[in-house]
Amino acid sequence: MTTKTEPTYRVVIYMSGPIDAIKHECRRFVLKHPQCVTVKPSTFIYCGGEEEGAEIGLLNYPRFPQSEGEIYTYAECLAVALVEATHQHSALIVSPTKTE
């Protein structure tokens, strides 16, 4: 077995919307821009309501190594694609150093 090691860097996109639409857009996006993402269903509870959505995780996957900046930029591009595909108004991008 061969192993590869890269520095750890994680970014998570949080957004509401239909989970199937989120998964579909992630599949489409990673085919065009090779990367590995995770999609976990999530419930967002806030003052006055709640919504279903997902946590989309990105990390420095050794098969497709990237710098912190590249991973964050990838997350920004994926978040825009997801917002458009799911007809949402926003998404939250969380990295170890900032939340946007």
Side-chain angles (χ1 to χ4, degrees):
M1 177 173 77
T2 304
T3 63
K4 289 179 77 176
T5 303
E6 292 291 330
T8 300
Y9 186 71
R10 300 182 95 162
V11 178
V12 179
I13 302 167
Y14 296 93
M15 66 175 300
S16 59
I19 191 73
D20 289 337
I22 291 169
K23 287 180 182 180
H24 177 77
E25 183 57 23
C26 285
R27 283 187 204 99
R28 187 196 70 75
F29 198 86
V30 302
L31 281 174
K32 289 174 86 174
H33 313 282
Q35 179 59 282
C36 179
V37 301
T38 59
V39 179
K40 290 194 255 181
S42 190
T43 302
F44 301 97
I45 299 173
Y46 53 88
C47 180
E50 70 179 62
E51 294 181 73
E52 298 302 313
E55 297 177 21
I56 300 94
L58 295 92
L59 51 96
N60 193 13
Y61 184 41
R63 184 171 175 195
F64 306 112
Q66 295 178 306
S67 70
E68 290 181 16
E70 289 171 324
I71 293 169
Y72 195 86
T73 299
Y74 190 99
E76 289 176 313
C77 294
L78 177 55
V80 168
L82 286 164
V83 165
E84 291 173 0
T86 59
H87 307 289
Q88 296 297 307
H89 298 289
S90 65
L92 186 66
I93 303 171
V94 179
S95 79
T97 57
K98 65 181 172 181
T99 300
E100 179 179 351

